[in-house]
Amino acid sequence: MVNESPDARPRRRLRPTRRGKIVLVVGALLVVTAAVLIPLSLTGSDEPPKKQETPQSTLMIPEGRRVSQVYEAVDKALDLKSGSTLKAASTVDLKLPAQAEGNPEGYLFPATYPIDDTTEPAGLLRYMADTARKHFAADHVTAGSRRNNVSVYDTVTIASIVQAEADTPADMGKVARVVYNRLLKDMPLQMDSTINYALKRSTLDTSTADTQLDSPYNSYRIKGLPPTPIGNPGEEALRAAVRPTPGPWLYFVTVGPGDTRFTDSYDEQQKNVEEFNRSRGSATTG
């Protein structure tokens, strides 16, 4: 991600985001480890899920996946017709906060869920949302939200931006601080990840024309947070949003893998952007 001055016209061709480096996975990721294993059988019933000793298989929802990707992963994992989970989502009460206005983005918690031939999408979605609410209701999250003068829902939204933008977990706290610093200064966030969300894509190549997009998720044109989270953040991104790293930064750009530069100087940012563009150009032509 690259920020421009709030009063300056976009001057560059490319702006990086972390998720632009990863091909979006819309299929189910079936693994036994690599996330939080929730040992429950998930059906469409309103009755509490029954414990089972050994789930037949598992579905892993990685950090940062968008709701649309979660729906597609569930369809594939449960061998359902495409669109089945999307349809089920419109019929189940996920007990979302009022601020969400019925949109579950950010509230399908990334974890590893057991599934079997009795699992139904409504029950699976319900438990994902229940898991998210329990994480977001934790004392350190609610206290941190009050300390940062934002709602818990806003904290989840900030965490989703952090998840999408940070190149490494070590950068998450600094990315969160950039978000808060810009909000405090009434500067547009200018996050490429929000534009990518609006355009349903993930890319490093955000053009000047993209920054003129007519969308409530265009954080180049509209100040403040986007109307919803832009993905489902994990625990590390949530911690960063709750307790951002102290610092004066207003800009950052990932010049190369593991090399994200943070600054409060617009001139220094432009030098970093030029270095990024040079490295991208040589990688493209090399």
Side-chain angles (χ1 to χ4, degrees), residues 118-190:
T118 69
T119 302
E120 296 179 3
L124 191 52
L125 294 176
R126 185 182 297 113
Y127 204 78
M128 289 179 183
D130 288 347
T131 304
R133 286 199 311 277
K134 289 176 183 177
H135 276 76
F136 302 157
D139 289 344
H140 73 284
V141 176
T142 56
S145 298
R146 289 193 297 269
R147 183 174 60 249
N148 295 323
N149 199 30
V150 295
S151 68
V152 170
Y153 188 77
D154 289 341
T155 297
V156 176
T157 299
I158 292 168
S160 73
I161 294 173
V162 169
Q163 188 79 65
E165 292 281 352
D167 183 53
T168 66
D171 290 333
M172 286 183 171
K174 290 184 176 181
V175 172
R177 176 55 64 190
V178 170
V179 173
Y180 284 113
N181 285 348
R182 283 187 159 250
L183 291 174
L184 287 171
K185 289 181 176 292
D186 196 32
M187 298 171 68
L189 296 184
Q190 298 177 325

Side-chain angles (χ1 to χ4, degrees), residues 90-121:
S90 66
T91 66
V92 61
D93 181 9
L94 298 181
K95 296 181 173 60
L96 301 171
Q99 203 172 345
E101 295 185 353
N103 186 337
E105 193 71 80
Y107 278 73
L108 300 182
F109 197 79
T112 298
Y113 297 90
I115 57 176
D116 60 25
D117 56 9
T118 69
T119 302
E120 296 179 3

Side-chain angles (χ1 to χ4, degrees), residues 221-233:
R221 297 184 64 182
I222 301 175
K223 294 180 181 179
L225 294 172
T228 71
I230 59 170
N232 293 281

